[in-house]
Amino acid sequence: MRIAIYPGSFDPVTLGHLDIIQRSAKMVDLLIIGVLNNKSKSPIFTVPERVNLLKEVTKDIPNISIEAYEGLLVDFAQERKASIIIRGLRAITDFEYELQLAQTNRKLNPVVDTVFLTTNVNYAYLSSSIVREIASYGGDISQFVPNTILQSVYDKIKSIRSV
Amino acid sequence: MRIAIYPGSFDPVTLGHLDIIQRSAKMVDLLIIGVLNNKSKSPIFTVPERVNLLKEVTKDIPNISIEAYEGLLVDFAQERKASIIIRGLRAITDFEYELQLAQTNRKLNPVVDTVFLTTNVNYAYLSSSIVREIASYGGDISQFVPNTILQSVYDKIKSIRSV
Amino acid sequence: MRIAIYPGSFDPVTLGHLDIIQRSAKMVDLLIIGVLNNKSKSPIFTVPERVNLLKEVTKDIPNISIEAYEGLLVDFAQERKASIIIRGLRAITDFEYELQLAQTNRKLNPVVDTVFLTTNVNYAYLSSSIVREIASYGGDISQFVPNTILQSVYDKIKSIRSV
Amino acid sequence: MRIAIYPGSFDPVTLGHLDIIQRSAKMVDLLIIGVLNNKSKSPIFTVPERVNLLKEVTKDIPNISIEAYEGLLVDFAQERKASIIIRGLRAITDFEYELQLAQTNRKLNPVVDTVFLTTNVNYAYLSSSIVREIASYGGDISQFVPNTILQSVYDKIKSIRSV
Amino acid sequence: MRIAIYPGSFDPVTLGHLDIIQRSAKMVDLLIIGVLNNKSKSPIFTVPERVNLLKEVTKDIPNISIEAYEGLLVDFAQERKASIIIRGLRAITDFEYELQLAQTNRKLNPVVDTVFLTTNVNYAYLSSSIVREIASYGGDISQFVPNTILQSVYDKIKSIRSV
Amino acid sequence: MRIAIYPGSFDPVTLGHLDIIQRSAKMVDLLIIGVLNNKSKSPIFTVPERVNLLKEVTKDIPNISIEAYEGLLVDFAQERKASIIIRGLRAITDFEYELQLAQTNRKLNPVVDTVFLTTNVNYAYLSSSIVREIASYGGDISQFVPNTILQSVYDKIKSIRSV
């Protein structure tokens, strides 16, 4: 049984993430979406909220598990018996950072390998931070996040701005 | 009547910015220099100070208007009836970020298009942050900012350091 | 009156070229599409054939002129009183080559300036050489070239292969 | 049953290729190594020779099939019921070209997806053309190609030079 | 007598830094390792601690001097009569930033020139920040820092986490 | 005694090459300019002509030797007791290729190390091939090649075209 992990912050999940999820789920037996609990960042959505948004948008894909994690990715992979890490590549800048991560992870644990998928061109220039910035100015993000969570994202960002 | 916007922080304006301004002013009927009021950054110069420095260095170019803005660039462009956004390209790192911005802005408002000019080679590796850093150590910035505002930049940075 | 030149080989014109043509035609009074007669390459389509394909796909845009040229681009621009060169940017590799051309052209003739438009994401990875290669294997190129010239491209490539 | 294709020229197979083969064979049920018969290039080794060298260096990996192909990769993938194309990424220049291929192949046949593995750092700057060039000057290529085929590569290149 | 400066934060020194130090020490009469006292960053190790770690790992190289500095690098170079600045290049992202620094430094002081060495492939994706991050999660950093300082790095990071 | 080699085709030498030569000659005791006799290319100038042009433009620099070579660069370096290879870096595309060469050369002969200088911004987008192309159309190359060889380059290219 082949298990892969697709790690990320997903703050919030975008149509670009969803594209990678749908395509990589077809390639493995179980796809674990690992939601990173990064204590040095200040996310908009809490980890449980991000897990719930991911569950909502992937509810029709059977072989998926959404799980929060913290610490080193290779440790999480080993604990969950995953042999593949999946990452999306959008652009050159991504690529160098991803290469660094992949090589470092292979040094830390040679049993876990990283594979890359290229993001669909329509979402190639899309990121969670751009979604947050546009939404914070009241801009239209309906082309960037899955329809079913659109209202949740607007509500959350409105609640933050009104503080 | 063709109206273009050249947006930026201009903290402070450099000879690289001035080169882009002079060249793009020749291409359109009205060039609006949009000074971004970015609340999440801590600029050295206030927005009114940056507007004044820009007015000083562009006073001989007739078809220019210097204006502060906040919020989404495409909204500012639409409000001011501009159909072109102008950006300077210095290097690869710039390029990817700019491509992302341009593609996102086109999705948000397809009527506004982005065009790029390549920075003069003499200013290709120049940025406002480098100017601020050199000036903060008392280094010579006369090759980097327009002559007429040189003293203002030194005075400002000296006043900040003496706090 | 602002005149711009959009130079290229157009062997054949693709949907990516057409996107740049439509957008840049809106920015200037006259857009000259300059078809390069490059004697050191072996094109599939002759220069007159390429001019005709371009006329076919741009017939609804009023302020366009299709012209063949050879020699230095800056000389052609000066002769035709154009002050702007338009180039499409698809990717990083493009970018460096384009930067080199733009800087060299500015040194050769500072009156002519180059502006860049970023290719629509849907055509970001599209090139004439890919179109030629796919068509030569009988692959489907209908997503890559304008509909009105699809048959001409297939016919031409079939005639070359049957030699 | 998951079938993947790892396409290439393999003229000759290097330690970098072998690293990708070993790692990707673990991820799928059947790995087809597709040796491209590219009629517009002048290879050193014939297609049957390249197939044999690959068979020699992969003889201990059970789930591998070495096959020559020509024409479009997506057609070969469909014919062999492969749903995954595997490519190695060494560097940025690779990356852009690979992105272009992957996006084009997805447009031609959305059922076949491309995944990328990053080349082991020790082989990151290695290519078949560098191996051929060093060997043609009598340089030492033992760090670059699998040991079992070292003599075959030297013999072949010596036979070409003595013509 | 040729004097060179190899500047950096060295927080902490890695095997990648040590590789550059060993190779560049062979090229000059005196190699000064300049430890930057950057007041706008929050380092893990104090400047004196970083100087001591560097002394420990370079004690067998005779023509080396470890010195802290603050302010502009070109001023430090001039004061110490150094005519060469040495920098390690790992990847593209590095490269653009380094090019900007080198060009700016040459404008500030044309007498000091910058030369680049490419990092050994085994350390190409290694950085002090990755070392700090892995160590903070209790991961194994023995492949990344010199053996003689391994315990010091673990002790320091443990002391910070226990606060 | 430190000996360095600056290898290249120099077909013809440009102001960018001359900038690298002048700066690197200051860093070593002897600078050997190695003119590559590359049999698979069709140069404009013969190897003896290129050697003579280089002698002409470097006649005021005392510690320089101009020499033709063929075969592997590391073999030439070893034969001439050079421990340093000098290369100019203009842009990203250069960088990846140079990195590949430097890493390969280090594998072939670890005693010879490569250092890089960044090309002066004024010549950053200059190459021998651009000089040849502009000159072939009768364009002005006086900003690109040293003054003393300007006439030789024009004469040569005119003689080739009139064939």
Side-chain angles (χ1 to χ4, degrees):
Chain A
M1 188 191 192
R2 278 183 202 96
I3 302 175
I5 288 182
Y6 177 41
S9 291
F10 305 102
D11 184 36
V13 58
T14 68
L15 287 170
H17 296 134
L18 189 55
D19 173 59
I20 298 290
I21 291 168
Q22 287 165 334
R23 289 159 50 204
S24 52
K26 285 184 201 148
M27 299 183 188
V28 293
D29 298 309
L30 173 62
L31 178 69
I32 298 170
I33 304 180
V35 179
L36 178 61
N37 189 1
N38 186 341
K39 285 172 175 170
S40 64
K41 282 196 180 176
S42 303
I44 299 285
F45 292 88
T46 66
V47 167
E49 284 170 339
R50 287 181 263 156
V51 167
N52 283 337
L53 291 177
L54 278 159
K55 283 187 175 160
E56 176 64 30
V57 302
T58 63
K59 65 187 170 199
D60 296 333
I61 309 173
N63 60 330
I64 279 190
S65 168
I66 323 277
E67 307 180 16
Y69 79 98
E70 54 184 47
L72 292 178
L73 176 58
V74 288
D75 293 344
F76 177 52
Q78 180 148 318
E79 185 194 310
R80 301 293 286 105
K81 297 190 184 357
S83 58
I84 301 174
I85 294 167
I86 286 173
R87 298 288 287 170
L89 281 179
R90 287 171 305 179
I92 301 285
T93 320
D94 273 355
F95 175 62
E96 289 234 315
Y97 176 71
E98 292 295 336
L99 212 56
Q100 189 185 45
L101 278 187
Q103 304 282 17
T104 304
N105 283 334
R106 200 182 311 164
K107 288 216 168 188
L108 290 173
N109 189 341
V111 171
V112 185
D113 210 338
T114 305
V115 305
F116 297 95
L117 279 76
T118 52
T119 307
N120 185 308
V121 284
N122 286 306
Y123 313 127
Y125 299 104
L126 177 55
S127 69
S128 294
S129 64
I130 281 191
V131 167
R132 292 194 304 266
E133 192 183 340
I134 295 171
S136 77
Y137 288 114
D140 176 10
I141 59 170
S142 62
Q143 296 175 80
F144 305 130
V145 300
N147 222 37
T148 48
I149 66 165
L150 198 56
Q151 198 55 49
S152 306
V153 176
Y154 279 126
D155 289 350
K156 183 75 181 188
I157 285 169
K158 198 188 294 176
S159 75
I160 288 169
R161 294 168 80 205
S162 63
V163 173
Chain B
M1 188 188 190
R2 278 183 201 94
I3 302 175
I5 288 181
Y6 177 41
S9 291
F10 305 102
D11 185 35
V13 58
T14 68
L15 286 169
H17 296 132
L18 189 55
D19 173 59
I20 298 290
I21 291 169
Q22 287 166 335
R23 289 159 51 206
S24 53
K26 287 183 200 148
M27 298 182 188
V28 292
D29 297 310
L30 173 63
L31 179 68
I32 298 170
I33 304 180
V35 180
L36 177 62
N37 189 0
N38 185 340
K39 283 170 176 172
S40 64
K41 282 196 177 174
S42 303
I44 299 286
F45 292 88
T46 65
V47 168
E49 284 170 339
R50 287 181 265 155
V51 167
N52 283 337
L53 291 178
L54 278 160
K55 284 187 174 161
E56 176 64 32
V57 303
T58 63
K59 64 186 172 199
D60 296 332
I61 309 174
N63 59 330
I64 280 189
S65 168
I66 323 277
E67 307 179 16
Y69 80 98
E70 54 184 48
L72 293 178
L73 177 58
V74 289
D75 293 344
F76 178 52
Q78 179 149 320
E79 184 194 314
R80 301 293 286 104
K81 297 189 185 358
S83 58
I84 301 174
I85 293 167
I86 286 173
R87 298 288 288 170
L89 281 179
R90 287 172 305 179
I92 300 285
T93 320
D94 273 354
F95 175 60
E96 289 235 315
Y97 176 71
E98 292 295 336
L99 213 56
Q100 189 185 45
L101 278 187
Q103 304 281 18
T104 305
N105 282 334
R106 201 182 309 165
K107 287 217 167 187
L108 290 173
N109 189 340
V111 170
V112 184
D113 210 338
T114 304
V115 304
F116 297 96
L117 280 76
T118 53
T119 307
N120 185 307
V121 283
N122 287 305
Y123 313 127
Y125 298 104
L126 178 55
S127 69
S128 293
S129 64
I130 281 192
V131 168
R132 291 194 305 266
E133 193 183 339
I134 294 171
S136 78
Y137 288 114
D140 176 10
I141 59 170
S142 62
Q143 297 175 80
F144 305 129
V145 299
N147 222 37
T148 49
I149 66 165
L150 197 55
Q151 199 54 49
S152 306
V153 176
Y154 277 126
D155 289 351
K156 183 74 184 190
I157 284 170
K158 199 187 293 176
S159 76
I160 288 169
R161 295 168 76 205
S162 63
V163 174
Chain C
M1 189 190 189
R2 277 183 203 95
I3 302 174
I5 288 181
Y6 177 42
S9 291
F10 305 102
D11 184 36
V13 58
T14 68
L15 286 169
H17 296 132
L18 189 56
D19 174 59
I20 298 289
I21 291 169
Q22 288 165 333
R23 288 158 51 203
S24 53
K26 286 185 201 149
M27 298 183 188
V28 292
D29 298 310
L30 173 62
L31 178 69
I32 298 169
I33 304 181
V35 180
L36 178 61
N37 188 1
N38 186 341
K39 286 172 176 170
S40 64
K41 281 195 179 176
S42 304
I44 298 287
F45 293 88
T46 66
V47 168
E49 284 171 339
R50 288 181 263 155
V51 167
N52 283 337
L53 291 178
L54 278 159
K55 282 186 177 162
E56 176 65 28
V57 301
T58 63
K59 64 187 172 200
D60 296 332
I61 310 174
N63 59 329
I64 281 190
S65 169
I66 322 277
E67 308 180 15
Y69 79 98
E70 54 185 48
L72 294 178
L73 177 58
V74 289
D75 293 344
F76 177 52
Q78 181 150 317
E79 185 195 311
R80 301 293 286 105
K81 297 191 183 1
S83 57
I84 301 174
I85 293 166
I86 285 173
R87 298 289 286 168
L89 281 179
R90 287 171 306 178
I92 300 285
T93 320
D94 274 354
F95 175 61
E96 289 234 316
Y97 176 71
E98 292 296 334
L99 212 56
Q100 189 185 44
L101 278 188
Q103 304 283 15
T104 304
N105 282 334
R106 200 182 309 163
K107 287 215 169 188
L108 290 174
N109 189 341
V111 170
V112 184
D113 210 338
T114 304
V115 306
F116 297 95
L117 278 75
T118 53
T119 307
N120 185 307
V121 284
N122 286 307
Y123 313 126
Y125 300 105
L126 178 55
S127 69
S128 293
S129 64
I130 281 191
V131 168
R132 291 194 304 265
E133 193 182 340
I134 294 171
S136 77
Y137 288 114
D140 175 10
I141 58 169
S142 62
Q143 297 174 81
F144 304 131
V145 300
N147 221 36
T148 49
I149 65 165
L150 198 54
Q151 199 53 51
S152 307
V153 176
Y154 278 125
D155 290 349
K156 182 77 184 188
I157 286 170
K158 199 187 296 176
S159 75
I160 288 170
R161 295 168 78 204
S162 63
V163 174
Chain D
M1 189 189 190
R2 277 184 201 93
I3 302 175
I5 288 182
Y6 177 43
S9 291
F10 306 103
D11 183 37
V13 58
T14 68
L15 287 170
H17 297 134
L18 189 55
D19 173 60
I20 298 289
I21 291 169
Q22 288 165 333
R23 289 158 52 205
S24 54
K26 286 185 200 148
M27 298 183 189
V28 292
D29 297 310
L30 173 62
L31 178 69
I32 298 169
I33 304 180
V35 180
L36 177 62
N37 189 0
N38 185 341
K39 285 170 175 171
S40 64
K41 281 196 179 174
S42 303
I44 298 287
F45 294 89
T46 66
V47 167
E49 284 170 339
R50 287 181 264 155
V51 167
N52 283 337
L53 291 178
L54 278 159
K55 283 188 175 160
E56 176 65 31
V57 302
T58 63
K59 64 187 171 200
D60 296 333
I61 310 175
N63 59 330
I64 280 189
S65 168
I66 323 278
E67 307 180 13
Y69 80 98
E70 53 185 48
L72 293 178
L73 176 58
V74 289
D75 293 344
F76 177 51
Q78 180 149 317
E79 184 195 312
R80 301 292 287 105
K81 297 191 185 357
S83 58
I84 301 175
I85 293 166
I86 286 173
R87 299 289 286 170
L89 281 179
R90 288 172 306 180
I92 300 286
T93 320
D94 274 353
F95 175 61
E96 288 233 318
Y97 175 70
E98 292 295 336
L99 212 56
Q100 190 186 43
L101 279 187
Q103 304 282 17
T104 305
N105 282 334
R106 200 181 311 163
K107 286 215 170 190
L108 289 174
N109 188 342
V111 170
V112 185
D113 210 339
T114 304
V115 305
F116 298 95
L117 278 76
T118 53
T119 307
N120 185 308
V121 283
N122 287 307
Y123 313 127
Y125 299 105
L126 178 56
S127 69
S128 294
S129 64
I130 281 191
V131 167
R132 292 194 303 266
E133 191 182 340
I134 294 171
S136 77
Y137 288 115
D140 176 10
I141 59 169
S142 62
Q143 297 174 80
F144 305 129
V145 300
N147 221 36
T148 48
I149 65 165
L150 198 54
Q151 199 53 51
S152 307
V153 176
Y154 279 126
D155 290 350
K156 183 77 183 186
I157 285 170
K158 199 187 294 174
S159 74
I160 288 170
R161 293 169 78 204
S162 62
V163 174
Chain E
M1 187 191 191
R2 276 182 202 95
I3 302 174
I5 288 181
Y6 177 42
S9 291
F10 305 103
D11 184 36
V13 58
T14 68
L15 287 170
H17 296 133
L18 190 54
D19 174 60
I20 298 289
I21 291 169
Q22 287 165 334
R23 288 159 51 204
S24 53
K26 285 184 201 151
M27 298 183 188
V28 292
D29 298 309
L30 174 61
L31 178 68
I32 297 170
I33 303 181
V35 179
L36 178 62
N37 189 0
N38 186 341
K39 284 171 175 172
S40 64
K41 282 196 178 174
S42 303
I44 298 286
F45 292 89
T46 66
V47 168
E49 285 171 337
R50 287 181 264 156
V51 167
N52 283 337
L53 291 178
L54 278 160
K55 283 187 175 160
E56 177 64 29
V57 302
T58 63
K59 65 187 172 199
D60 296 332
I61 309 173
N63 60 331
I64 280 190
S65 168
I66 322 277
E67 307 178 17
Y69 79 97
E70 53 184 49
L72 293 179
L73 177 58
V74 288
D75 293 344
F76 177 51
Q78 179 149 318
E79 186 195 313
R80 301 293 286 105
K81 298 189 181 2
S83 58
I84 300 174
I85 292 166
I86 286 174
R87 298 288 287 169
L89 281 180
R90 287 172 305 180
I92 300 285
T93 320
D94 273 354
F95 175 61
E96 289 235 314
Y97 176 72
E98 292 295 335
L99 212 57
Q100 187 185 46
L101 277 188
Q103 305 282 17
T104 305
N105 283 334
R106 199 181 310 164
K107 287 216 168 188
L108 290 173
N109 189 340
V111 171
V112 185
D113 210 338
T114 304
V115 305
F116 297 95
L117 278 76
T118 52
T119 306
N120 185 308
V121 284
N122 287 306
Y123 313 128
Y125 299 104
L126 178 55
S127 69
S128 294
S129 64
I130 280 191
V131 168
R132 292 194 304 267
E133 192 183 339
I134 294 170
S136 77
Y137 288 114
D140 176 9
I141 59 170
S142 62
Q143 297 174 79
F144 305 129
V145 300
N147 221 36
T148 48
I149 65 165
L150 197 54
Q151 199 52 51
S152 306
V153 176
Y154 278 125
D155 290 350
K156 183 75 185 189
I157 285 169
K158 198 188 296 176
S159 76
I160 288 169
R161 295 169 78 205
S162 63
V163 174
Chain F
M1 187 189 191
R2 276 182 203 94
I3 302 175
I5 288 181
Y6 177 42
S9 291
F10 305 103
D11 183 36
V13 57
T14 69
L15 287 170
H17 296 134
L18 189 55
D19 173 60
I20 298 289
I21 290 169
Q22 288 166 333
R23 288 159 51 204
S24 53
K26 287 183 199 149
M27 298 183 188
V28 293
D29 297 311
L30 174 62
L31 179 69
I32 297 169
I33 303 181
V35 179
L36 178 62
N37 189 0
N38 186 340
K39 284 170 176 171
S40 64
K41 281 195 178 176
S42 303
I44 298 286
F45 293 89
T46 66
V47 167
E49 284 170 338
R50 287 182 264 154
V51 167
N52 283 338
L53 292 178
L54 278 159
K55 283 188 175 160
E56 176 65 31
V57 302
T58 63
K59 65 187 170 199
D60 296 332
I61 309 175
N63 59 330
I64 280 189
S65 169
I66 322 277
E67 308 179 16
Y69 80 98
E70 54 184 48
L72 292 179
L73 176 58
V74 289
D75 294 343
F76 177 52
Q78 180 150 317
E79 185 195 311
R80 302 292 287 106
K81 295 188 184 3
S83 57
I84 300 173
I85 293 166
I86 286 174
R87 298 289 286 168
L89 281 179
R90 287 172 305 179
I92 301 284
T93 320
D94 274 354
F95 175 61
E96 289 234 315
Y97 175 72
E98 292 295 336
L99 212 57
Q100 190 186 44
L101 277 188
Q103 305 282 17
T104 305
N105 283 334
R106 201 182 309 164
K107 287 216 168 186
L108 289 174
N109 189 341
V111 170
V112 184
D113 210 338
T114 304
V115 306
F116 297 95
L117 278 76
T118 53
T119 307
N120 184 308
V121 283
N122 286 306
Y123 314 126
Y125 298 104
L126 178 56
S127 69
S128 293
S129 64
I130 281 192
V131 167
R132 291 195 305 268
E133 192 183 339
I134 295 171
S136 77
Y137 289 115
D140 175 11
I141 59 170
S142 62
Q143 298 174 78
F144 304 129
V145 300
N147 221 36
T148 47
I149 65 164
L150 198 54
Q151 198 54 48
S152 307
V153 176
Y154 279 126
D155 291 351
K156 182 76 183 188
I157 285 170
K158 200 186 294 174
S159 75
I160 289 169
R161 296 169 77 204
S162 62
V163 174

